[in-house]
Amino acid sequence: MSVEHYRKKLVDLRAAVAKEKEAKKRDNERFADYIKSASSPSSKASYRKRKIDHAASHDRRIERLKMEIEDCKDSLARERERAKRK
């Protein structure tokens, strides 16, 4: 792969992290509204649990994307070193 490929991939991954953070924020706001408007304690508890589950899911995706960014940085450094040796 080329240096340009890894640079583009880094930009794309960083954008994906930003999108995932925005999605997490939107989901948290939506579930907060659901919790406020819920009529029964059981439905409030259910919404709270779903809010926690969705937030954890977003966190896992963000962490996975961050690991991919680190891997991409390592690959980019290796590719630069390889290009220097040529």
Side-chain angles (χ1 to χ4, degrees):
M1 305 260 180
S2 68
V3 171
E4 289 302 316
H5 168 78
Y6 289 117
R7 285 184 185 162
K8 182 184 178 320
K9 188 174 178 181
L10 271 174
V11 169
D12 292 344
L13 288 170
R14 288 180 179 139
V17 169
K19 283 182 184 179
E20 194 63 36
K21 286 181 179 179
E22 283 299 315
K24 179 182 176 182
K25 184 178 175 182
R26 271 194 318 273
D27 280 352
N28 280 341
E29 290 172 357
R30 187 184 64 205
F31 278 111
D33 290 341
Y34 289 163
I35 291 167
K36 285 179 191 174
S37 64
S39 58
S40 70
S42 64
S43 63
K44 280 188 179 196
S46 173
Y47 285 133
R48 283 189 184 108
K49 184 180 179 329
R50 288 179 58 197
K51 181 180 177 183
I52 291 168
D53 291 343
H54 278 80
S57 175
H58 287 295
D59 289 340
R60 284 190 302 272
R61 285 189 207 128
I62 290 168
E63 286 305 312
R64 181 183 49 82
L65 288 168
K66 286 181 179 179
M67 285 190 289
E68 285 184 39
I69 287 172
E70 291 304 314
D71 291 343
C72 189
K73 285 180 183 179
D74 293 342
S75 298
L76 179 60
R78 278 194 306 274
E79 188 64 29
R80 284 182 177 153
E81 283 298 316
R82 193 175 71 73
K84 282 182 185 178
R85 283 186 256 137
K86 283 188 174 181

